[in-house]
Amino acid sequence: MDRNRLVLAALVFTAAALCSTVAPARADVVGIVRGTLTGADRRPLPQVAVTLTGERVALTATTGEDGRFAFARVPFGRYRLAARGPAGTASATVEVASDAVVDVALIAAPVIGRATATATGVRGTPVSQNAFGANRLAALPRNDRLDAVVEQVPGVVRFSYDEPVAHGFHGLSYELDGAPLPQSTSSNFAQLIDPRNAQAVEVFTGAFPAEFGGSRQGAIVNVISGGTDAGARGGALTLGGGELGTADVRLTQRFTSGKAQIALAFNGSRTGRGLDSPSRDAQHDDSSASDQFLRIAVPLSERNLLALDLSNQYSSFQIPINLRANDPNSPLVAAPGTDDVQNEYDRFASLSFTRTSRDGNGYVRVVPWARYNRVSYNGDLERDVQAFVNNGDGTTTPQNGLRQDRTASYAGLRISTFHASDRHAIKAGIDLTQENVRSNALIRITGAPDFVDNAAQRGTQTGIYVEDKWTPAARLAINAGVRWDRSTGYVGGAQLGPRIEINDEVAPGTVLHAYYGRLYSAPGLEDTRRDAVVTQTASSAAPVYDLKPERDTYVELGIARTFRPGLRGYVNAFNRTAVNVLDTTQLANTPLFAVFNNAVGRVRGAELRVDGSSPRSDLGISATFSRAEAGGVSGSTFLFPPQSAGDITLQPEDHDQRWEANAFATRRFGAGLRSFATLQTEYGTGFPVQFQNGQGRLPAHWLVDASVGRQPDRAARSLGYTLSVDNLLDHRFLIKANNGFNTTQWNAPRRIVLRITAPW
């Protein structure tokens, strides 16, 4: 039994023992809500119950003799804060982000008094943070794809194979319940977690605090798993089917065992259109997936929580092919009957212990975690070597066949401590990760012996940080921090990176915002460069393991405005410069990726966001203008030396889309506001035709998605349903043209899917 299986077994055994042992279980990605309760005469009101309620969360605190109260670990989202006592009642609407400190002054009165905590306060929700709660997620047309949720925020564009590209460069960092979900380098098509398993999703597109780092940070995506909220019991069965051979089944169950609160989710799906295809009408494009998720939360006491997350996924994807020898958009032609398949296996486990301070203003968290990821590419070698590329001048280039079995296993430990005082909110922590990679590859080249490349490598990442949200004045906050990163592997590196953010509330609800940060990104160990060199040259070519860590400087300036509780907007200008940009090219005629460095990269732009939420409606509008450029390709896949700095000409990245806009609007109606209708749109000006070689652009595109439905009512045992339509207008467009670095891909046609849910 390998190390990761031992870790998984130990975590399961620990959780099972604890279940036989009540405070509410809370998620681990949290902020603090605190304040004072006074009467109309401004005198503190002691021993009064204060409640904080949101989606699937209900917390209670009692004021002290000085009228103070605190909720130390509040999952990010929107909440109603209320107090009722002899002097009257008071309430407020608050927005909470990860590590936010939200201070509220409640004034009780015989007639309900209201105190508003702005969504964008100087120590509250960061300007570049966007959150999606469970109700909002349930109403989105593409709510079964985490990528599709992330792509609803500004600065993020949808690239081929549903990969989100944020602020000009590849690479997002994901976290689940406060534990990292490391991504591999080779192409993985399966999603990290089904958002339908989530209570909420939070996306940082800028102003990254010092606690995040070590890997590529186009954006930070935090996911809170759902279902372990206090009092939640019962389950539901969902069956769905629709166009393009789509069918799925989903089973969820929540229950308690002693103090333990347990949530289970099982999903299975299949479709005839799994990946972006090299032809307008997909051929050989079936896919299927199944995943299981378990969360057990055990409140050991009022101040201590132990929580276990376990997930297991399996996905299988046929690799779509193009059989048209004269397709001008896709010159790569496959032999009839070609049957390449990619299988993906993923397992993840984390065990988190959180202890809240006695005063409710801080906590300590310890999170050991482990992950196992395997990608098996089963190439049809005999037919793959019959594939060829039309060069446009009547000549053809033969292609190669490839099989690869790549496994990456991770083990890590995260320790953090956080405490807030009147003027400071200090957080410090350490992240330790060890990664082990094994890769077995076979390359078949016509007229030459098979090339076998078996490699293994171990690497580590260490991150240490400290940060402080200092409030020298009531309307001014300075969020300063420093992070040290160090990585080892095929190559190593280290960097000390400062981060500083200044938020100045120049008027009630209006915040001026500035940020500067230095970021470090270690290259992944899933190294396919030797295979890339062989497929593009000869089996005698020597491997070149020369990837360098990426080092970025990110600057952001903006203004945010809270118009009313639940409605805010912001405008940001950003500039990102990088050296040794980590970028990807496809490995021969496969969807596996090989990584290389651009010597320099730069992205500049501006973004706008309007976000509104109320019991009856949700609204999100995003628009981004940006210019992502890079230059100085060298090393790894490319067998030529780097250019000198003076000779580098910056050219558009293949995922550079100058204008990107998207919007969604949801309206809720009917009994209990359980029925909903959502309209969602996306507009993009098209990606470059060629990569770093000219200014030609693919045509602009416009997509419309829609959904209508009704959430199930467990109490009434009434069915729920969702009718969703992806690409309502059936607009099919080129996402990417074959450009020497990547193959051609078209977006998917219209898909109508009906899902019916039976609760119990």
Side-chain angles (χ1 to χ4, degrees):
M1 182 178 290
D2 62 29
R3 177 183 300 179
N4 283 282
R5 291 179 180 175
L6 285 170
V7 172
L8 290 172
L11 293 175
V12 172
F13 175 80
T14 301
L18 288 168
C19 287
S20 59
T21 41
V22 192
R26 307 167 204 166
D28 296 329
V29 185
V30 294
I32 288 178
V33 177
R34 64 185 187 179
T36 58
L37 175 65
T38 64
D41 57 2
R42 304 291 179 169
R43 292 183 178 179
L45 298 176
Q47 302 303 310
V48 176
V50 182
T51 60
L52 188 70
T53 55
E55 291 184 31
R56 302 182 179 177
V57 177
L59 306 175
T60 302
T62 303
T63 59
E65 294 302 317
D66 56 1
R68 292 180 178 268
F69 60 89
F71 298 90
R73 293 176 18 248
V74 181
F76 56 79
R78 187 165 182 255
Y79 295 87
R80 182 176 183 271
L81 184 67
R84 180 183 298 274
T89 60
S91 65
T93 299
V94 297
E95 303 275 349
V96 181
S98 295
D99 295 333
V101 179
V102 182
D103 291 297
V104 187
L106 290 178
I107 301 174
V111 178
I112 292 179
R114 295 189 180 275
T116 299
T118 61
T120 309
V122 292
R123 289 209 291 179
T125 303
V127 171
S128 302
Q129 182 261 12
N130 294 271
F132 296 78
N135 288 338
R136 174 176 284 192
L137 289 171
L140 291 177
R142 299 181 68 215
N143 65 1
D144 58 344
R145 294 287 309 181
L146 182 58
D147 297 341
V149 174
V150 174
E151 289 156 3
Q152 293 304 304
V153 304
V156 181
V157 301
R158 177 171 58 169
F159 198 42
S160 59
Y161 298 133
D162 278 334
E163 179 195 9
V165 175
H167 283 173
F169 296 118
H170 294 281
L172 276 63
S173 294
Y174 294 87
E175 303 212 350
L176 173 63
D177 290 333
L181 282 172
Q183 292 191 88
S184 58
T185 298
S186 299
S187 177
N188 288 33
F189 302 126
Q191 59 183 334
L192 292 171
I193 185 173
D194 192 321
R196 294 175 298 179
N197 293 343
Q199 174 179 309
V201 175
E202 176 187 52
V203 184
F204 286 87
T205 56
F208 309 114
E211 65 181 289
F212 299 117
S215 59
R216 288 184 284 178
Q217 285 179 237
I220 304 295
V221 182
N222 288 324
V223 179
I224 294 179
S225 62
T228 56
D229 47 300
R233 294 179 179 85
L237 174 66
T238 300
L239 300 176
E243 291 185 303
L244 306 181
T246 301
D248 61 42
V249 58
R250 172 173 167 78
L251 176 66
T252 61
Q253 179 68 51
R254 303 182 185 95
F255 59 95
T256 60
S257 175
K259 292 183 178 181
Q261 299 164 24
I262 303 169
L264 291 164
F266 302 90
N267 302 298
S269 64
R270 67 168 306 277
T271 178
R273 185 62 159 80
L275 300 177
D276 292 325
S277 171
S279 56
R280 188 176 186 274
D281 297 306
Q283 304 170 76
H284 193 263
D285 201 8
D286 291 345
S287 72
S288 61
S290 63
D291 66 84
Q292 304 83 41
F293 181 80
L294 167 67
R295 179 169 172 82
I296 304 174
V298 185
L300 304 178
S301 67
E302 182 62 30
R303 294 169 50 202
N304 298 326
L305 172 69
L306 192 64
L308 171 72
D309 284 345
L310 293 174
S311 71
N312 179 65
Q313 297 186 53
Y314 168 74
S315 302
S316 179
F317 299 88
Q318 290 182 330
I319 307 304
I321 59 177
N322 176 42
L323 299 176
R324 295 177 57 192
N326 298 311
D327 187 342
N329 292 309
S330 185
L332 176 59
V333 182
T338 301
D339 186 23
D340 291 3
V341 177
Q342 181 162 305
N343 297 315
E344 300 184 16
Y345 311 81
D346 191 90
R347 301 170 193 143
F348 175 80
S350 69
L351 183 67
S352 64
F353 171 77
T354 308
R355 179 176 176 82
T356 305
S357 63
R358 190 177 299 277
D359 63 3
N361 283 303
Y363 56 84
V364 175
R365 183 166 63 214
V366 180
V367 187
W369 60 271
R371 187 179 183 203
Y372 169 88
N373 178 262
R374 178 187 174 197
V375 173
S376 173
Y377 186 87
N378 301 317
D380 188 350
L381 298 178
E382 298 303 324
R383 287 185 170 85
D384 286 344
V385 295
Q386 299 176 41
F388 60 91
V389 172
N390 281 319
N391 297 320
D393 59 0
T395 62
T396 61
T397 301
Q399 294 296 291
N400 309 312
L402 180 139
R403 286 180 181 166
Q404 187 191 61
D405 192 351
R406 192 268 302 151
T407 298
S409 59
Y410 307 81
L413 176 66
R414 167 170 290 183
I415 303 173
S416 60
T417 179
F418 177 75
H419 193 270
S421 63
D422 286 343
R423 293 195 178 275
H424 295 273
I426 299 175
K427 187 170 187 178
I430 182 169
D431 273 312
L432 304 173
T433 303
Q434 178 176 291
E435 179 183 1
N436 291 277
V437 168
R438 175 188 55 79
S439 178
N440 301 321
L442 183 152
I443 302 173
R444 179 159 297 174
I445 303 173
T446 301
D450 288 346
F451 176 80
V452 177
D453 183 23
N454 298 329
Q457 180 64 38
R458 174 178 295 182
T460 62
Q461 288 191 37
T462 302
I464 303 173
Y465 68 90
V466 61
E467 59 191 23
D468 181 23
K469 293 185 179 182
W470 174 42
T471 313
R475 297 186 180 277
L476 176 66
I478 300 174
N479 307 334
V482 63
R483 180 183 180 93
W484 180 72
D485 285 295
R486 180 177 182 272
S487 64
T488 67
Y490 285 112
V491 295
Q495 176 175 289
L496 186 68
R499 317 275 178 91
I500 184 167
E501 178 185 13
I502 300 175
N503 290 324
D504 185 6
E505 193 170 15
V506 295
T510 301
V511 173
L512 290 179
H513 160 76
Y515 173 84
Y516 169 87
R518 292 275 292 147
L519 312 176
Y520 175 89
S521 305
L525 298 183
E526 297 81 11
D527 200 296
T528 56
R529 283 170 291 159
R530 175 169 181 147
D531 303 334
V533 169
V534 169
T535 57
Q536 295 187 16
T537 55
S539 59
S540 59
V544 182
Y545 297 118
D546 61 351
L547 276 184
K548 299 177 182 179
E550 179 180 326
R551 304 171 192 271
D552 297 14
T553 299
Y554 183 80
V555 178
E556 186 175 271
L557 296 171
I559 185 170
R561 171 70 179 171
T562 299
F563 301 99
R564 58 173 174 77
L567 179 63
R568 69 171 186 138
Y570 64 80
V571 177
N572 272 334
F574 55 87
N575 182 79
R576 186 174 194 144
T577 56
V579 295
N580 300 320
V581 181
L582 293 169
D583 208 338
T584 58
T585 179
Q586 282 180 234
L587 178 52
N589 53 322
T590 76
L592 294 172
F593 286 166
V595 178
F596 64 93
N597 284 124
N598 284 299
V600 293
R602 179 180 68 195
V603 61
R604 297 172 176 173
E607 60 190 14
L608 173 145
R609 174 71 169 180
V610 176
D611 189 276
S613 180
S614 72
R616 291 188 175 274
S617 62
D618 281 311
L619 172 70
I621 301 173
S622 299
T624 305
F625 171 79
S626 65
R627 183 181 178 91
E629 300 170 307
V633 176
S634 67
S636 61
T637 306
F638 307 98
L639 300 182
F640 45 85
Q643 299 167 277
S644 63
D647 295 332
I648 294 176
T649 301
L650 294 179
Q651 293 288 350
E653 289 267 31
D654 59 352
H655 47 257
D656 170 57
Q657 186 158 256
R658 298 295 169 79
W659 284 99
E660 166 76 11
N662 56 64
F664 69 90
T666 298
R667 183 68 176 175
R668 296 184 178 85
F669 53 91
L673 299 180
R674 293 186 175 276
S675 298
F676 62 85
T678 299
L679 188 66
Q680 182 174 301
T681 63
E682 176 193 332
Y683 170 78
T685 51
F687 297 109
V689 174
Q690 296 177 309
F691 175 59
Q692 296 188 14
N693 185 20
Q695 301 293 326
R697 293 270 163 180
L698 296 171
H701 63 268
W702 181 277
L703 292 175
V704 179
D705 302 329
S707 64
V708 295
R710 183 181 65 224
Q711 294 185 3
D713 187 343
R714 181 172 290 109
R717 297 293 193 272
S718 64
L719 296 177
Y721 74 92
T722 300
L723 179 66
S724 61
V725 186
D726 301 339
N727 195 359
L728 178 66
L729 304 180
D730 197 25
H731 177 43
R732 309 182 200 188
F733 62 91
L734 273 170
I735 301 173
K736 183 165 59 180
N738 187 295
N739 56 23
F741 284 71
N742 299 287
T743 58
T744 299
Q745 277 119 45
W746 289 76
N747 82 303
R750 183 190 62 219
R751 186 195 315 250
I752 301 175
V753 179
L754 174 65
R755 296 181 174 93
I756 297 176
T757 301
W760 57 80

